[in-house]
Amino acid sequence: MSLARYKKMRSFEETPEPAGKVEKPGTALRFVVQKHAASRLHYDFRLEMEGVLKSWAVPKGPSLNPKDKRLAMMTEDHPVSYMEFEGTIPKGHYGAGEVIVWDIGTYYADEEKSARENERLLLAGLKKGDLKFRLRGKKLNGEFALVRMKGGKYGDKGDSWLLLKKEDDFASAGDVTLQEDSVLSSRALAMPSKSAAPDIRKLKKSALPREVKPMLATLVDQPFDGKEWLFELKWDGYRAIAEIAKGKVRLYSRNNLSFNERYPDLAAALREIPHDAVLDGEIVALDEKGRPDFQTLQHHGENRAPLTYAAFDILYLNGRDLCDLPLIERKEILRATVAGIPGILYSDHVEAKGKALFREAKKRGLEGIMAKERESPYVSGKRTEQWLKIKTHQRQEAIICGFTEPRGSRKKFGALVLGVYDGKGGKKKLRFIGHTGTGFGEAGLAELHQKMQPLVTDESPFEEKVPLNAPITWVRPRLLCEVKFAEWTRSGIMRQPVFLGLREDKRPEEAVEEVPESAEKAKEHAERSVEVEITHPDKVYFPEDGITKGEVVEYYRKIADVILPYLQDRPESLHRHPNGIDKPSFFQKNIEGEVPPYAETIRIKSESKGEINYLLCQNEETLLYMANLGCIELNPWNSRTSALGKPDFMIIDLDPGKNTWSEMVKVAKTVHEVLDEACEENYLKTSGKTGLHILVPLGARYEYDRIKEFAELIANIVHKKHPDITSVERNPKKRIKKIYLDFLQNRTGQTLAAPYSLRPVPGAVVSTPLEWKELSPRLDPRKFNIKTIFSRLKKKGDLWKPVLGRGVDLVESIKCLQTYLEKG
């Protein structure tokens, strides 16, 4: 109950805030909520207790909706006299910005008790981390709770809590923060000026990124409003990244197709930007009313219609990487960067009011709108729910798979036969989705017919029979187009599709049926994803390398899309290094107490421990939560919750002991040779330490015991080929200086370092999938680490995907192996 920290952080000769003192409580305890436009708009929630105001910063403000869980960060105690403070804290001072009293009133734990007894009950709840109370204010009324998040301790700086509304007569789904003004003076809050772009000199210097993969949006089913969101028009053109470096411009598609020669006027316009920069935007052709027209863009070579580069994001500027800045700040920087340059349009936005913008887009016949979380970072190459797209009518990218003969007066062809890739069942195949004979002009018919001629083939690209009663000329699936249509039928066919144009900026392999997600679920997921609290990010985890906990968390944030398929639905055995790799670590299987709302667990019976509550890593938030717990490495089960007794793969784990790397390579290649004879499919990765992992995909079709027997057979065959340097003996003392052929990993509950998992060894080495041709005595597994893995992924992609495929037929594998052994 000291105000020392409050006073130390302020200069009362220059700030209008009260110095105050510790005061005795009156006949009723009071609360106040102050709306504070500092560097970020937030709400300060304050409760009178122990003669001061216990205070929490609530970024999104209080809610009357019991479904909402508002993050609340505990701050320093304030004097009771601060309760009615309204005014402007000057620039250069702590909390600079304007403050108003948004709500004020009394509160209590038990209405029947005195203020002193209420204070005693409330203090007990505060120290316990579960503070329940009732508010009686002008805007907030009814039961609330402040619940400390796991890992926090009363009095900690930055202590994380959740502010919750209880279900009662005052609960409401409405947004109470739309009541914006002060309850004392009725004054509105003057928001911080947006005229000046944020100062980026504080950011670390970095090299200009090349060949950027753009951030992608998730399609949702309907528009929505939300004060945490920005809404933009969806530009109907070609997505394009613009790199400007020392006056040279490179303009290219999401698949790295250069647009410089095709659109030289735009390249020239971008050269006028007097900075080194990387922009994200859309190449569009605007009509006389300023509306983008995709078909005009399609025929730009014929009509020479003027084009515009609609810039909506900036990733880099003058030696600074901006991707981790909030979107709202990046847009301020972008506005200042492209202002006044002909041919470049700053893509403006509206805040909070998505439904109104959607109505306007529909009225003007536009494709749709974008919804973007205002605090979202830019995540290259990732489809995220922090960026959403909402279309005014149905659109679909489709692959041209053939054409029908023309009828009547039409020339060249009658209709296009269309398909998309269907990835169901683990195998991508083309699926027929309909045909379209509308949307072509005469010139367009001739041009498209000419492009299809070199692709003509005798074979249908579809496995199923296409239900058309007209002769079809098949073409190889190399051309991608865009169509609009009325709706999908139950059988997955488009009604009334209309051809809009070719998509030469994308690969046909990307064409899959776009099914919109629930806007409400996507919005909730995006908003909660920014609330994963990371504690002590500056703590050093790898002392020799200077790599911090924050950098480990950021690694897992960037690798999330790649690593999550190997973690989802698998119980996790947590190996925690809370103080770094050179300090004691411990294993944790059982998750006790509450977990964050985004995390899932599963209870599994254990013969020795009764029942164990395992954590499941189902989403990015849980992945970051695990990293925050000190899980430098990730150790999932080999089987999933849907079939815990049937693993997805068989494992041969090579442990070198004190043997040389050359000997390891020799043995691994023998394992590969034997498995090739038996299974055909087997995949290799580094353990991330000194070993190698060789896996055979099995598709959860066989029990652990059967797989262990097969693995033991493989291990014994390899051991007979290299008896001098290998062993199948589990006891390390009995296999000195021999490579251990570990087949016992194929048992229920065993774990293996996941592909792309960091390992707690110097160098922050990553367990990395390899091509077999890469394995050689010259290969150094340490070169695959936290700093190099992303360039490798960009070059080679995820080599481990087949491990989660259908897998091999174990019966046939054993037959093949027997034949191999008989040959001697």
Side-chain angles (χ1 to χ4, degrees):
M1 57 181 180
S2 170
L3 294 175
R5 186 173 165 221
Y6 168 84
K7 293 179 178 180
K8 185 178 180 180
M9 298 165 74
R10 290 161 177 83
S11 175
F12 296 106
E13 295 80 19
E14 299 176 25
T15 178
E17 296 164 282
K21 60 182 181 180
V22 176
E23 298 182 16
K24 293 182 179 179
T27 56
L29 295 173
R30 293 168 292 171
F31 83 93
V32 65
V33 181
Q34 284 159 316
K35 193 173 178 182
H36 190 174
S39 58
R40 295 276 191 286
L41 176 67
H42 66 277
Y43 295 75
D44 292 311
F45 188 85
R46 311 190 197 280
L47 301 175
E48 184 183 9
M49 234 182 287
E50 291 187 306
V52 296
L53 296 177
K54 302 293 182 183
S55 299
W56 291 261
V58 185
K60 295 184 178 181
S63 173
L64 295 176
N65 190 341
K67 293 182 180 179
D68 291 339
K69 297 179 175 66
R70 296 298 199 220
L71 180 67
M73 302 296 292
M74 199 168 193
T75 62
E76 73 277 10
D77 293 344
H78 282 53
V80 173
S81 56
Y82 205 99
M83 186 165 290
E84 295 185 1
F85 170 69
E86 289 188 331
T88 302
I89 302 171
K91 285 185 179 180
H93 290 264
Y94 176 74
E98 193 168 357
V99 178
I100 62 171
V101 174
W102 181 80
D103 196 19
I104 196 168
T106 59
Y107 82 109
Y108 52 87
D110 187 337
E111 192 172 15
E112 302 297 322
K113 297 185 184 299
S114 66
R116 183 178 294 276
E117 184 62 14
N118 265 292
E119 186 178 43
R120 188 187 66 77
L121 293 170
L122 292 162
L123 277 169
L126 179 70
K127 291 173 182 176
K128 183 181 175 184
D130 187 7
L131 176 58
K132 296 182 176 67
F133 50 89
R134 293 184 68 91
L135 299 181
R136 187 178 289 163
K138 297 180 183 297
K139 295 175 182 176
L140 301 178
N141 285 278
E143 293 182 296
F144 287 80
L146 275 162
V147 180
R148 187 187 296 116
M149 295 176 72
K150 191 173 181 181
K153 182 180 178 183
Y154 176 62
D156 282 358
K157 182 181 178 182
D159 195 8
S160 299
W161 299 61
L162 292 175
L163 177 62
L164 311 172
K165 177 73 183 77
K166 299 294 185 179
E167 192 70 61
D168 60 19
D169 292 341
F170 297 100
S172 168
D175 187 354
V176 70
T177 63
L178 294 178
Q179 301 176 42
E180 297 179 337
D181 297 349
S182 165
V183 294
L184 294 185
S185 62
S186 297
R187 71 194 274 187
L189 192 66
M191 296 300 290
S193 171
K194 296 183 180 179
S195 58
D199 184 357
I200 65 171
R201 290 174 295 179
K202 61 184 179 182
L203 301 177
K204 289 182 180 179
K205 287 192 174 184
S206 64
L208 185 140
R210 303 284 184 176
E211 299 181 4
V212 172
K213 296 289 185 185
M215 184 170 174
L216 303 176
T218 298
L219 178 67
V220 296
D221 56 0
Q222 60 185 349
F224 58 89
D225 291 338
K227 61 187 179 65
E228 300 300 323
W229 295 80
L230 308 178
F231 298 92
E232 305 169 350
L233 292 176
K234 190 175 188 305
W235 299 100
D236 196 1
Y238 289 154
R239 183 80 174 270
I241 298 291
E243 292 176 10
I244 305 104
K246 297 179 180 178
K248 293 183 179 180
V249 169
R250 183 158 182 267
L251 186 65
Y252 54 91
S253 75
R254 57 189 281 181
N255 292 319
N256 203 27
L257 172 70
S258 176
F259 285 140
N260 281 45
E261 292 185 9
R262 188 169 180 181
Y263 305 120
D265 292 348
L266 288 185
L270 289 161
R271 273 194 291 273
E272 295 301 311
I273 295 176
H275 306 282
D276 287 356
V278 177
L279 312 181
D280 191 358
E282 197 103 356
I283 297 171
V284 293
L286 303 178
D287 64 15
E288 66 280 357
K289 294 183 179 179
R291 298 174 301 189
D293 187 314
F294 186 71
Q295 290 186 318
T296 300
L297 176 63
Q298 279 280 297
H299 300 290
H300 169 71
E302 304 159 26
N303 55 38
R304 296 302 299 168
L307 299 181
T308 299
Y309 182 71
F312 49 71
D313 213 328
I314 183 166
L315 289 61
Y316 177 91
L317 181 66
N318 296 337
R320 263 63 177 197
D321 186 335
L322 310 180
C323 291
D324 288 335
L325 286 179
L327 172 64
I328 188 66
E329 292 188 14
R330 298 199 307 273
K331 293 209 72 175
E332 291 171 22
I333 295 168
L334 175 65
R335 188 197 298 268
T337 302
V338 303
I341 300 177
I344 303 178
L345 171 69
Y346 169 73
S347 179
D348 212 341
H349 61 269
V350 299
E351 299 194 29
K353 301 187 182 301
K355 292 179 181 178
L357 184 64
F358 184 82
R359 287 194 296 270
E360 182 63 22
K362 200 166 187 178
K363 179 180 175 182
R364 293 173 59 188
L366 302 179
E367 184 187 359
I369 65 170
M370 301 294 299
K372 298 179 180 179
E373 222 274 343
R374 61 179 290 133
E375 299 294 315
S376 60
Y378 190 98
V379 186
S380 177
K382 179 180 177 181
R383 190 173 300 280
T384 171
E385 290 177 323
Q386 288 182 285
W387 284 19
L388 306 174
K389 53 185 175 182
I390 309 108
K391 296 184 178 182
T392 55
H393 50 265
Q394 298 259 35
R395 303 257 299 229
Q396 176 67 48
E397 291 163 3
I399 302 165
I400 298 172
C401 298
F403 57 90
T404 63
E405 296 298 313
R407 294 181 180 179
S409 60
R410 172 168 273 188
K411 298 176 181 178
K412 304 300 181 183
F413 64 87
L416 298 176
V417 180
L418 304 173
V420 294
Y421 279 104
D422 188 343
K424 294 174 182 176
K427 180 184 176 184
K428 262 194 166 187
K429 65 176 184 177
L430 273 170
R431 177 170 67 82
F432 173 69
I433 59 169
H435 63 286
T436 179
T438 57
F440 313 99
E442 243 181 79
L445 272 169
E447 180 186 1
L448 187 52
H449 186 261
Q450 185 178 3
K451 287 185 176 182
M452 290 190 291
Q453 290 311 298
L455 302 175
V456 169
T457 179
D458 293 333
E459 294 184 9
S460 167
F462 300 109
E463 290 183 10
E464 76 266 33
K465 185 178 179 181
V466 173
L468 289 180
N469 296 321
I472 300 173
T473 300
W474 300 110
V475 298
R476 292 193 297 279
R478 300 289 184 270
L479 296 175
L480 184 66
C481 69
E482 181 125 356
V483 295
K484 63 179 180 180
F485 62 103
E487 61 180 350
W488 290 103
T489 68
R490 288 184 178 179
S491 56
I493 304 297
M494 294 183 293
R495 292 191 194 276
Q496 303 168 10
V498 177
F499 178 84
L500 296 176
L502 291 176
R503 298 288 326 201
E504 297 180 5
D505 58 328
K506 296 183 180 181
R507 295 192 303 267
E509 292 79 14
E510 297 179 64
V512 295
E513 181 184 338
E514 272 203 295
V515 180
E517 295 184 10
S518 160
E520 193 58 34
K521 285 185 179 179
K523 175 173 173 283
E524 288 176 6
H525 183 270
E527 289 179 350
R528 83 176 183 225
S529 69
V530 299
E531 292 183 5
V532 180
E533 182 63 20
I534 307 302
T535 56
H536 310 298
D538 296 328
K539 184 181 289 185
V540 176
Y541 267 10
F542 294 82
E544 290 184 24
D545 310 282
I547 295 171
T548 65
K549 177 181 182 178
E551 290 173 293
V552 168
V553 171
E554 185 57 27
Y555 168 77
Y556 280 118
R557 190 192 303 277
K558 289 174 69 177
I559 203 78
D561 275 2
V562 181
I563 199 173
L564 276 172
Y566 307 104
L567 303 175
Q568 288 167 331
D569 299 322
R570 301 178 190 278
E572 296 287 335
S573 180
L574 307 183
H575 187 194
R576 298 176 60 177
H577 290 76
N579 296 303
I581 68 170
D582 61 341
K583 297 292 193 298
S585 65
F586 63 95
F587 283 92
Q588 179 184 359
K589 293 182 180 180
N590 196 41
I591 303 299
E592 300 172 340
E594 290 189 16
V595 296
Y598 47 74
E600 297 180 26
T601 60
I602 182 173
R603 293 191 174 276
I604 300 174
K605 289 183 179 180
S606 166
E607 290 182 8
S608 60
K609 298 184 179 179
E611 195 174 57
I612 296 176
N613 192 34
Y614 284 93
L615 185 69
L616 297 174
C617 187
Q618 305 295 75
N619 48 46
E620 181 180 320
E621 292 92 338
T622 307
L623 178 61
L624 302 186
Y625 169 70
M626 291 168 65
N628 188 55
L629 291 177
C631 296
I632 294 173
E633 64 179 0
L634 305 173
N635 300 282
W637 276 33
N638 304 332
S639 51
R640 286 174 284 183
T641 54
S642 57
L644 286 174
K646 295 181 178 180
D648 289 298
F649 34 75
M650 182 193 82
I651 301 163
I652 299 292
D653 182 359
L654 302 186
D655 181 352
K658 296 182 180 180
N659 293 70
T660 66
W661 176 250
S662 294
E663 289 171 328
M664 276 286 286
V665 171
K666 183 179 179 179
V667 172
K669 287 187 173 182
T670 301
V671 176
H672 178 47
E673 174 193 314
V674 174
L675 288 175
D676 270 358
E677 293 291 340
C679 309
E680 297 180 2
E681 271 193 89
N682 53 92
Y683 299 90
L684 172 71
K685 74 178 176 73
T686 67
S687 71
K689 291 185 177 178
T690 56
L692 289 170
H693 297 155
I694 302 168
L695 272 65
V696 175
L698 295 172
R701 296 160 66 192
Y702 308 99
E703 301 286 344
Y704 269 105
D705 286 347
R706 190 173 181 189
I707 293 165
K708 182 169 71 71
E709 289 172 1
F710 183 60
E712 185 175 6
L713 177 60
I714 298 293
N716 281 315
I717 293 170
V718 175
H719 175 50
K720 286 181 180 179
K721 289 178 177 287
H722 301 291
D724 54 334
I725 58 171
T726 67
S727 173
V728 291
E729 175 59 56
R730 186 180 182 185
N731 189 337
K733 293 180 181 179
K734 295 182 180 180
R735 53 177 165 87
I736 296 172
K737 208 171 180 187
K738 287 191 176 182
I739 294 167
Y740 179 36
L741 298 163
D742 186 358
F743 58 85
L744 294 176
Q745 291 282 10
N746 301 284
R747 294 181 297 174
T748 305
Q750 291 295 110
T751 63
L752 191 74
Y756 309 107
S757 169
L758 290 170
R759 302 306 301 275
V761 295
V765 182
V766 172
S767 179
T768 304
L770 301 175
E771 295 173 323
W772 276 104
K773 64 183 180 182
E774 293 181 278
L775 185 63
S776 78
R778 296 185 301 276
L779 181 72
D780 183 357
R782 293 173 299 181
K783 76 175 185 177
F784 307 120
N785 54 55
I786 194 172
K787 296 178 181 178
T788 63
I789 191 65
F790 292 103
S791 60
R792 177 177 172 83
L793 275 168
K794 187 175 182 180
K795 182 179 179 182
K796 292 189 176 289
D798 179 11
L799 300 175
W800 213 235
K801 281 184 179 180
V803 170
L804 298 182
R806 177 173 170 76
V808 305
D809 184 327
L810 205 56
V811 175
E812 289 300 316
S813 296
I814 292 171
K815 288 180 182 178
C816 292
L817 191 59
Q818 287 172 340
T819 303
Y820 169 71
L821 293 174
E822 287 168 3
K823 289 179 181 178

